[in-house]
Amino acid sequence: MRQFGAIAVSLFIAIAIFCSISLVYAANPGSPAPDFTLTDISGKKVSLSELKGKVVLLNFWATWCGPCRAEMPGLNKLYQELREKGLVVLAISVDTSDKPVKEFMKDKKFSFPVLLDTDKEVSFDDYAVMGLPTTIIIDRKGLIAEKVLGEREWDTPQMKEKITKLLMAK
């Protein structure tokens, strides 16, 4: 019994160290955004590296996430207002199946692209997303400008100003 306790404690310590190291090296402001390639809901492959030179919002979400669903209209409005200036929004679904995502997008008619991360390699492994929604804002140089945890009102004057400043930077 004593040996089992020692093994459990050792395992707990190993997991804690792994998680700490993962968070330290995870996508943080000022660091390069990890590149990835995911498939959109129509089957087209999209790579982050193809978007260098643009301001990109990676919005990690799921159809079953109420706060995710609540922030999407504002995110869509922001995208529609600023896409001509170089803003790209990629909504990255972590749903385990594409069916609810396709149904949701068909019903809501949002105009930004939706990518599928069903195995969660990009969201959890590359970007250390621990809760939904999480949005990563990437500047024109491919650096992470900000990691936004939780629901936001994306179409507020303050958020538009923040994104516009990034769009105007060279």
Side-chain angles (χ1 to χ4, degrees):
M1 190 67 148
R2 179 180 265 176
Q3 186 177 8
F4 176 75
I7 292 171
V9 169
S10 297
L11 183 60
F12 176 78
I13 291 170
I15 290 170
I17 291 170
F18 174 76
C19 289
S20 298
I21 290 170
S22 295
L23 290 175
V24 167
Y25 291 104
N28 290 311
S31 65
D35 190 24
F36 62 84
T37 300
L38 291 173
T39 304
D40 71 12
I41 57 174
S42 64
K44 178 185 168 200
K45 294 210 178 279
V46 176
S47 294
L48 182 62
S49 58
E50 296 169 353
L51 302 171
K52 194 159 188 179
K54 297 191 180 282
V55 173
V56 180
L57 270 69
L58 303 178
N59 179 258
F60 294 95
W61 70 288
T63 57
W64 46 262
C65 168
C68 301
R69 295 167 67 110
E71 75 174 356
M72 284 196 155
L75 188 61
N76 192 59
K77 188 174 178 185
L78 178 73
Y79 174 64
Q80 288 176 336
E81 288 182 26
L82 298 177
R83 70 178 167 192
E84 296 298 320
K85 295 180 180 175
L87 176 65
V88 175
V89 171
L90 297 176
I92 301 175
S93 170
V94 298
D95 285 82
T96 56
S97 166
D98 66 342
K99 185 178 179 188
V101 180
K102 288 178 179 179
E103 289 173 359
F104 178 78
M105 292 307 290
K106 183 179 177 184
D107 181 51
K108 298 298 181 185
K109 297 179 177 44
F110 295 131
S111 55
F112 46 76
V114 176
L115 309 180
L116 301 169
D117 187 22
T118 56
D119 61 8
K120 297 165 188 57
E121 280 185 32
V122 173
S123 54
F124 296 120
D125 296 347
D126 294 344
Y127 285 91
V129 172
M130 296 296 179
L132 297 176
T134 295
T135 303
I136 308 293
I137 303 173
I138 303 168
D139 69 15
R140 291 185 181 275
K141 296 176 186 172
L143 301 176
I144 296 172
E146 188 173 347
K147 187 172 188 176
V148 180
L149 307 175
E151 179 184 350
R152 291 294 184 274
E153 291 184 34
W154 291 101
D155 56 344
T156 64
Q158 297 84 359
M159 195 58 73
K160 288 178 195 171
E161 180 181 345
K162 179 185 290 194
I163 300 301
T164 299
K165 283 182 183 178
L166 289 171
L167 289 166
M168 295 179 83
K170 296 292 173 192

